[in-house]
Amino acid sequence: MDQQLALKQSTLKISGMTCAACANRIEKGLKKTEGVTDANVNFALEQASVTFDPNQTSFEKMEQKVEQLGYKVVKDTAELQLSGMTCAACANRIEKGLNKLPGVTKATVNFALETAHVEYNSAEVTISDMVRKVEDLGYQAVTKEEQSDAQQDYRQKEITRQKRKFIVSVILSLPLLWTMVSHFSFTSFLWVPAFLMYPFVQFLFATPVQFIIGKQFYVGAYKALRNKSANMDVLVALGTSAAYFYSLYMTVIHLNEPFMMQDTYYETSAVLITLIILGKLFEAMAKGRSSEAIKKLMGLQAKTAIVMRNGEEVNIPVEEVVVSDIVLVRPGEKVPVDGEVIDGRTAIDESMLTGESLPVEKQPGDTVIGSTVNKNGVIKIKATKVGKETALAQIIKVVEEAQGSKAPIQRVADVISGIFVPIVVGIALLTFLIWYFWVDPYAFANALEKAIAVLVIACPCALGLATPTSIMAGSGRAAELGILFKGGEHLETTHKINTILLDKTGTITKGKPELTDVMPESLEESTLLSLVASAEKNSEHPLAEAIVAGAADRGIICKDTNDFEAIPGFGVRAQIDGQDVIVGTTKLMERYQVEVSEHASEQKTQLETAGKTVMLAAVDGNYAGFVAVADTVKETSKAAILRLKQLGIDVYMITGDNERTAKAIAEQVGIDHVRAEVLPEGKAAEVEKLQKEGKIVAMVGDGINDAPALAKADIGIAIGTGTDIAMEAADVTIMRGDLQSIPDAIRMSKKTMTNIRQNLFWALVYNSLGIPVAALGFLAPWIAGAAMAFSSVSVVLNALRLQRVRL
């Protein structure tokens, strides 16, 4: 009975299943997982209901089991907008708190974006629980859905707030700085008003800066210490408070000595706070720029739509369009939502989504994507996806998640930030003691100044910003170029791949058969093609559609047919202008006793060796010639594969086609390794086989049958012109159907990681060199404050260079 009470039930949403056999496989695998007492997988609902003992297993272990089998667990996700963080240590504290909640499988907090991305099991934890946890830690959180327009604009308000604080702080600190500068021998000629030399007057200038402008540092330090941790605010509050209260003490005991200036440090605390506020202002402005990619994408969305309601054209906000609405799109207008053309013809500029500069012709039956631009014709479309379901909305969601995610390399910075502040406080205390007792015995003010400089120079802001700003800038720029990384970990891993598997159909090739050759024997080429296309126009076979389309492209009009007959597995027969026409295989010719010339048979063999499908034609029992159809290679595939090989990557082609056809296509594009006649379920096994050889494998595909292999690979790359299931299972989505984007994605990954390493190096070097320099007495506190402020800005500006990368 006690064991029964201890059991829990959880529901896993699973993607990548293509048939009931997949569901059975997952169910058996889950049942074999230690701690799982029962599992039931529903293929139709794409979910698994699992009963398990939480003392023996966890959500993560069940997820790992599903992924080992080649599928993916789709987790509930929440995006929280945070406020109140002052440095990376705050982000770490919130992240740890959220990860400790039962039911939360993964929480990542982005200090630069001030967001938390949480993956969780809704059966165990709610979003309200997460918000409450954040508030318990001393910060604020709201879900993105709950944000009002005012909250959406919070970053601009933060910039305005810091700007006002800085202006007030400058006004109050400048007189103090004036008196400080006059103390140097080389500036002694400067005139200083006598009243500024009074400590009590300096006290009046410094106090508002310390406790009104600097209030945020005290609040942040209190929250950190209350939660048994330390952050940048602790360092700033300690350093400035030491200078301020020592000066206050000296002011009180020397009230009768108004010009006792040398032992007060009001200017140190005030100027420090002013410089740190300036750094915060620069940081807030830079953060705003680094999320520019999201703003650009959102700016692409159409604002209104013309919808047919009760026979009338009604102009409504795009948010009010519903599925199945008929939408009118005029030339020059943006397509408001995803839909299908039901009337009219036009060309659509899809460059914002695919990067393809040439407009794409559209006619009834073709799909159009919201926010693309209608160039020349008037069309009516039937809305198929609206709101958050549109392609652009999904892209924005992927970019937001990628920018809010955390690359594995960031763990280095997180660990350092977590232990940095206590160590720095210890170094500052040691610095004070050494100076006070040994270097300059019993000179309290001098020892205090050196300790303050150590506290200030060591603030780990730059370290906290090093990784997230680069990820934001890199993933944002990649999105503008039509490359969507689903997370920081994929952005980090992509440049490490050394083996890539390319699906053939729809990836290397166009995925749509085309008429390639017309070889007449006894007729004119146009006559042969007219008869063949006329015979095939009533067939539903894809190859027949390719012949009819090819004839139309050549300006040939199909004739009427009589007595049409489809012969499954062989071809077709029809009466055209009183002639008996048959089109099909060699066996069909043999059935009707048609003799094919030896020369034609040789040509047919050559074309089939090249991967083409040949259909022979006979008119009134006499061989008339043949046509050939092939799934043609994309124009850029060969160049893209050459670029991948130049990067030192082994390129494999994997396909279900027969070996002869596969090798013919591979030879055309320069691929040396071919895996032919691989069943859909065997693609994941091929990926696993290469991984066992120690290779870091990327799988590229576009179909439903590629989903398990995409999920199994170290990096799954989906071609954006393919199916939604393939894109869901992939780690990277290439919005264009162009393989050139794959080496581009690798290059973007490499550039981003180089940028992150640069940021981490300079942030660590800055602190490593700055602390001993300050401890040795070569750094005045106000100079340390300025250096600390500008170090953060330099890291962000370096990351922003990624927004100018051209591929």
Side-chain angles (χ1 to χ4, degrees):
M1 183 66 179
D2 290 340
Q3 174 64 18
Q4 286 294 322
L5 289 172
L7 295 178
K8 292 183 71 175
Q9 193 168 47
S10 187
T11 301
L12 310 182
K13 297 173 185 175
I14 300 172
S15 68
M17 292 191 291
T18 56
C19 62
C22 298
N24 292 339
R25 188 179 174 208
I26 295 169
E27 191 171 293
K28 287 176 183 175
L30 286 170
K31 285 179 177 177
K32 290 178 182 176
T33 304
E34 185 183 2
V36 173
T37 58
D38 192 28
N40 187 287
V41 179
N42 188 311
F43 171 60
L45 294 177
E46 294 186 313
Q47 64 183 33
S49 178
V50 187
T51 304
F52 65 98
D53 183 349
N55 296 318
Q56 295 183 13
T57 192
S58 63
F59 187 93
E60 290 88 342
K61 288 181 181 177
M62 292 185 280
E63 180 188 1
Q64 287 168 7
K65 186 63 181 179
V66 171
E67 291 187 347
Q68 283 171 8
L69 294 169
Y71 306 91
K72 274 202 171 181
V73 173
V74 182
K75 286 157 280 200
D76 294 301
T77 59
E79 292 287 334
L80 301 180
Q81 190 68 58
L82 307 173
S83 57
M85 293 191 295
T86 57
C87 69
C90 301
N92 291 341
R93 191 175 318 119
I94 297 172
E95 190 172 289
K96 286 176 183 175
L98 288 172
N99 277 312
K100 285 178 182 176
L101 286 174
V104 171
T105 57
K106 184 181 179 185
T108 54
V109 174
N110 188 306
F111 170 56
L113 272 179
E114 296 177 311
T115 58
H117 178 74
V118 188
E119 295 175 358
Y120 67 101
N121 184 357
S122 55
E124 298 178 62
V125 68
T126 65
I127 294 175
S128 298
D129 295 332
M130 300 173 208
V131 171
R132 197 156 43 245
K133 182 65 178 176
V134 172
E135 289 173 349
D136 288 344
L137 293 169
Y139 305 91
Q140 293 79 48
V142 291
T143 63
K144 291 207 170 183
E145 291 75 12
E146 291 172 337
Q147 282 184 292
S148 63
D149 292 338
Q151 286 170 318
Q152 287 283 11
D153 203 29
Y154 81 99
R155 197 182 298 282
Q156 189 57 47
K157 286 190 173 183
E158 175 66 11
I159 292 171
T160 304
R161 187 168 69 90
Q162 296 292 1
K163 195 178 290 183
R164 285 175 184 160
K165 282 187 173 186
F166 174 66
I167 292 169
V168 173
S169 196
V170 164
I171 292 169
L172 293 171
S173 300
L174 273 177
L176 299 172
L177 186 61
W178 191 357
T179 63
M180 181 184 74
V181 171
S182 69
H183 289 147
F184 301 122
S185 57
F186 58 88
T187 56
S188 57
F189 62 89
L190 289 174
W191 173 78
V192 180
F195 78 94
L196 288 180
M197 305 302 286
Y198 284 86
F200 185 73
V201 172
Q202 295 191 2
F203 162 78
L204 293 177
F205 279 108
T207 300
V209 178
Q210 186 71 34
F211 297 109
I212 298 176
I213 306 299
K215 178 184 174 183
Q216 66 189 67
F217 303 115
Y218 285 105
V219 172
Y222 167 72
K223 288 176 180 176
L225 294 171
R226 188 185 68 183
N227 288 291
K228 299 176 182 176
S229 64
N231 63 0
M232 185 200 89
D233 292 330
V234 173
L235 297 180
V236 175
L238 269 175
T240 59
S241 295
Y244 176 85
F245 285 109
Y246 174 74
S247 301
L248 180 60
Y249 167 74
M250 296 303 292
T251 301
V252 171
I253 66 170
H254 294 289
L255 278 175
N256 296 324
E257 303 171 53
F259 293 101
M260 185 92 178
M261 285 292 303
Q262 64 272 24
D263 287 331
T264 58
Y265 290 91
Y266 288 120
E267 75 282 353
T268 298
S269 63
V271 172
L272 272 179
I273 289 173
T274 303
L275 288 170
I276 292 167
I277 292 291
L278 176 63
K280 289 283 183 187
L281 173 61
F282 283 163
E283 200 176 285
M285 292 167 70
K287 284 178 185 178
R289 281 189 59 200
S290 59
S291 57
E292 200 68 33
I294 297 290
K295 293 176 190 172
K296 284 182 182 176
L297 289 170
M298 288 180 168
L300 294 172
Q301 294 174 314
K303 303 296 186 290
T304 60
I306 301 171
V307 179
M308 308 303 294
R309 296 270 170 90
N310 301 319
E312 295 183 0
E313 297 177 9
V314 183
N315 200 326
I316 63 172
V318 72
E319 295 82 11
E320 295 179 14
V321 179
V322 296
V323 173
S324 297
D325 265 344
I326 305 302
V327 182
L328 180 70
V329 188
R330 298 190 179 101
E333 293 180 344
K334 287 183 179 179
V335 178
V337 293
D338 293 6
E340 180 183 326
V341 179
I342 58 170
D343 185 37
R345 291 173 180 268
T346 190
I348 300 284
D349 179 0
E350 296 183 343
S351 58
M352 50 73 66
L353 192 71
T354 64
E356 181 57 57
S357 56
L358 295 176
V360 181
E361 297 292 329
K362 299 290 181 180
Q363 59 187 11
D366 289 340
T367 57
V368 290
I369 302 166
S371 303
T372 53
V373 180
N374 182 21
K375 298 297 286 185
N376 48 32
V378 178
I379 55 172
K380 286 182 181 178
I381 66 169
K382 183 178 181 181
T384 56
K385 291 181 179 178
V386 299
K388 293 180 180 178
E389 300 302 315
T390 62
L392 183 62
Q394 292 298 310
I395 290 169
I396 291 171
K397 181 184 175 187
V398 168
V399 175
E400 283 181 330
E401 288 179 358
Q403 292 193 337
S405 66
K406 186 175 290 190
I409 196 172
Q410 190 172 340
R411 293 179 192 135
V412 177
D414 289 347
V415 171
I416 295 169
S417 295
I419 62 173
F420 203 64
V421 175
I423 291 173
V424 168
V425 172
I427 294 172
L429 180 60
L430 188 62
T431 300
F432 175 82
L433 294 173
I434 290 171
W435 275 86
Y436 186 73
F437 288 108
W438 284 284
V439 181
D440 191 4
Y442 308 110
F444 183 85
N446 193 31
L448 181 64
E449 186 178 274
K450 306 304 182 280
I452 292 170
V454 170
L455 287 171
V456 173
I457 196 70
C459 289
C461 289
L463 198 60
L465 289 167
T467 302
T469 48
S470 294
I471 288 176
M472 287 163 62
S475 59
R477 179 59 181 151
E480 291 171 10
L481 298 168
I483 302 164
L484 300 183
F485 290 95
K486 284 194 176 178
E489 65 272 26
H490 310 312
L491 190 56
E492 178 173 339
T493 306
T494 299
H495 79 284
K496 297 178 182 177
I497 61 174
N498 52 33
T499 304
I500 192 162
L501 268 72
L502 301 172
D503 175 54
K504 180 182 80 71
T505 307
T507 301
I508 297 173
T509 66
K510 294 178 180 177
K512 187 178 180 182
E514 293 180 359
L515 179 65
T516 57
D517 300 270
V518 180
M519 303 293 291
E521 180 86 2
S522 57
L523 303 172
E524 291 290 328
E525 182 177 313
S526 58
T527 304
L528 173 66
L529 185 54
S530 174
L531 290 171
V532 172
S534 300
E536 292 282 11
K537 74 175 181 179
N538 293 318
S539 172
E540 295 179 354
H541 197 283
L543 298 183
E545 292 177 9
I547 293 169
V548 174
D553 289 342
R554 290 167 171 77
I556 293 172
I557 299 171
C558 293
K559 299 178 180 181
D560 293 332
T561 60
N562 297 313
D563 195 22
F564 173 81
E565 180 187 3
I567 307 168
F570 293 92
V572 297
R573 186 188 67 79
Q575 286 282 331
I576 303 170
D577 290 341
Q579 301 176 96
D580 188 37
V581 178
I582 58 171
V583 182
T585 63
T586 302
K587 289 183 178 179
L588 184 64
M589 297 297 117
E590 290 172 356
R591 178 187 286 192
Y592 284 91
Q593 298 177 346
V594 175
E595 290 188 17
V596 180
S597 67
E598 188 175 331
H599 175 65
S601 295
E602 288 175 1
Q603 287 181 315
K604 174 176 177 288
T605 302
Q606 288 174 358
L607 291 174
E608 286 177 338
T609 302
K612 298 181 181 182
T613 301
V614 176
M615 282 167 284
L616 305 167
V619 178
D620 290 333
N622 297 312
Y623 173 67
F626 66 75
V627 296
V629 174
D631 180 8
T632 55
V633 170
K634 291 176 183 176
E635 292 80 1
T636 56
S637 291
K638 185 173 183 178
I641 288 161
L642 177 61
R643 283 180 66 194
L644 288 169
K645 291 168 83 172
Q646 287 171 344
L647 289 170
I649 296 172
D650 292 331
V651 183
Y652 289 71
M653 185 175 81
I654 188 165
T655 178
D657 281 356
N658 64 69
E659 194 158 345
R660 186 172 67 176
T661 301
K663 284 186 175 178
I665 296 293
E667 193 174 330
Q668 283 184 53
V669 294
I671 293 178
D672 303 318
H673 309 288
V674 178
R675 297 282 194 272
E677 298 178 26
V678 179
L679 296 174
E681 56 270 26
K683 290 183 178 181
E686 290 292 335
V687 170
E688 190 172 7
K689 191 185 297 181
L690 290 168
Q691 286 172 328
K692 285 179 179 176
E693 293 174 15
K695 298 180 185 291
I696 301 172
V697 182
M699 169 71 195
V700 185
D702 72 328
I704 292 173
N705 60 355
D706 298 321
L710 289 169
K712 184 70 181 171
D714 296 290
I715 289 291
I717 303 175
I719 301 296
T721 50
T723 65
D724 291 343
I725 290 176
M727 286 185 273
E728 178 65 36
D731 305 309
V732 182
T733 298
I734 304 299
M735 296 311 298
R736 300 161 64 181
D738 186 349
L739 290 186
Q740 291 276 22
S741 292
I742 296 172
D744 286 347
I746 294 168
R747 186 174 171 220
M748 197 72 224
S749 168
K750 188 173 290 186
K751 280 189 169 292
T752 303
M753 292 312 300
T754 300
N755 194 274
I756 288 173
R757 291 190 184 101
Q758 288 170 351
N759 283 349
L760 288 173
F761 173 78
W762 288 114
L764 289 168
V765 164
Y766 163 80
N767 286 125
S768 302
L769 294 179
I771 291 172
V773 169
L776 290 170
F778 298 122
L779 213 57
W782 70 275
I783 296 175
M788 186 275 291
F790 285 101
S791 69
S792 296
V793 178
S794 64
V795 161
V796 176
L797 292 178
N798 184 49
L800 291 176
R801 291 190 307 114
L802 290 169
Q803 293 186 335
R804 298 194 297 273
V805 170
R806 300 199 177 277
L807 301 177

